[in-house]
Amino acid sequence: MSGSSGGLVINAFVAGAQSRRDEAPGARGHGSWGEREPTVRDVMTTPVVYVPPNTPVKAIAELLLSDRVSAVPVVDSHGHLLGLVSEEDILIKLIDPSAGARVPWLTGGHLPHEFRRRRDARTAGELMSAPVTCVHPDATLRQAAKTMYLRHLKRLPVIDGSSLVGIVSRSDLLRVYLMPDEHLRRRAEHLLHGALGLGAAAVRVSVAEGVVALEGEVATHSEADLIARMLRRLEGVVGVEPRIMWRVDDHVSLEARHTVNG
């Protein structure tokens, strides 16, 4: 992709050879993750548009607007990720501290180095945020979501070895909730009958709007609780309605044992 800024023609490069958007179950209902746990590779955006560090800031703004993305990776000639330039990085240039704007970087009325650097930046290399928190394509969606949540990030570049292969955003992770109910039911049954070793007749599974309903009978109360906890951790599950009976209430014996020992 190319764009122009003030008569200057720039090149926006792409990393990654195949789009993953049509492989994961989505609004069109095609594609399949099979019975395995979905990973970043399943939902990441690829190919990724990126820019070299000498790209002018004005050209980056044009690229963000034309591609309708909120950030662009900065990559060197060897394909190594150097940093990210986001809309927020560019917006710093619009802040005028002398006009009384409340700027968190201001200390004692003086502009710290970081703010001055971005305010005066003319290229991607001067403006970018670095270092960048990244994720491997085989990381689970749960791991990526935890990283984004704890670090207050909107996106994660996806790195395989030293190569940029994609980018995953918060909205990409939400795609797991577009999984069809029938697909989610099969994954829940695979977990129950495979990982937990339950017979097909022991616990019956139905799914509606992402809510998993369980019916049947198991040996103990603690086993019923374990089943519900594991299904709540299944990607795409909105909630669990455990209507499972048990033959032995081992919670009572555990409480009694704790009382005796206490």
Side-chain angles (χ1 to χ4, degrees):
M1 178 180 299
S2 64
S4 62
S5 178
L8 174 64
V9 178
I10 68 157
N11 291 319
F13 303 91
V14 295
Q18 181 180 3
S19 175
R20 298 284 177 179
R21 289 193 175 277
D22 291 338
E23 294 183 13
R28 291 188 286 271
H30 57 269
S32 175
W33 284 326
E35 306 298 350
R36 63 177 175 80
E37 185 175 9
T39 65
V40 167
R41 190 187 304 275
D42 295 310
V43 301
M44 68 184 186
T45 298
T46 182
V48 185
V49 175
Y50 66 87
V51 297
N54 62 348
T55 304
V57 169
K58 189 171 182 178
I60 299 173
E62 179 182 324
L63 181 63
L64 295 179
L65 289 171
S66 64
D67 277 38
R68 296 183 179 181
V69 294
S70 59
V72 61
V74 182
V75 177
D76 66 16
S77 58
H78 300 289
H80 299 150
L81 180 67
L82 300 177
L84 278 177
V85 175
S86 68
E87 295 169 327
E88 182 178 350
D89 293 326
I90 299 179
L91 287 178
I92 289 177
K93 288 183 166 294
L94 297 178
I95 298 176
D96 182 7
S98 63
R102 295 180 61 85
V103 182
W105 302 283
L106 283 175
T107 305
H110 299 288
L111 291 174
H113 172 74
E114 182 68 10
F115 183 85
R116 290 198 305 270
R117 176 180 71 83
R118 299 191 186 199
R119 182 197 60 183
D120 299 335
R122 298 184 180 183
T123 65
E126 296 169 346
L127 180 63
M128 67 184 185
S129 296
V132 181
T133 300
C134 302
V135 67
H136 190 273
D138 292 331
T140 66
L141 302 189
R142 192 177 305 278
Q143 290 168 334
K146 181 179 180 180
T147 298
M148 285 187 187
Y149 180 79
L150 293 179
R151 302 196 179 192
H152 306 286
L153 301 173
K154 296 181 179 179
R155 67 199 69 80
L156 291 171
V158 184
I159 303 295
D160 191 357
S162 60
S163 301
L164 176 69
V165 296
I167 194 163
V168 63
S169 66
R170 292 176 179 177
S171 60
D172 291 327
L173 297 183
L174 293 181
R175 288 170 60 80
V176 72
Y177 290 104
L178 300 181
M179 187 182 300
D181 286 341
E182 176 60 22
H183 187 91
L184 192 57
R185 182 188 65 80
R186 292 197 302 269
R187 293 198 66 221
E189 288 182 342
H190 177 76
L191 176 63
L192 293 178
H193 306 153
L196 296 179
L198 295 175
V203 177
R204 296 176 296 280
V205 180
S206 61
V207 182
E209 297 297 326
V211 178
V212 179
L214 305 170
E215 295 185 6
E217 183 179 280
V218 294
T220 64
H221 192 172
S222 59
E223 186 177 5
D225 287 348
L226 174 63
I227 291 170
R229 287 199 306 271
M230 291 190 70
L231 286 178
R232 287 190 182 98
R233 290 174 53 84
L234 197 63
E235 282 80 0
V237 169
V238 174
V240 176
E241 294 181 357
R243 298 190 286 268
I244 305 175
M245 306 297 292
W246 53 86
R247 293 184 292 276
V248 177
D249 189 354
D250 55 343
H251 284 186
V252 174
S253 60
L254 288 173
E255 291 175 1
R257 189 184 311 167
H258 177 73
T259 301
V260 172
N261 293 335

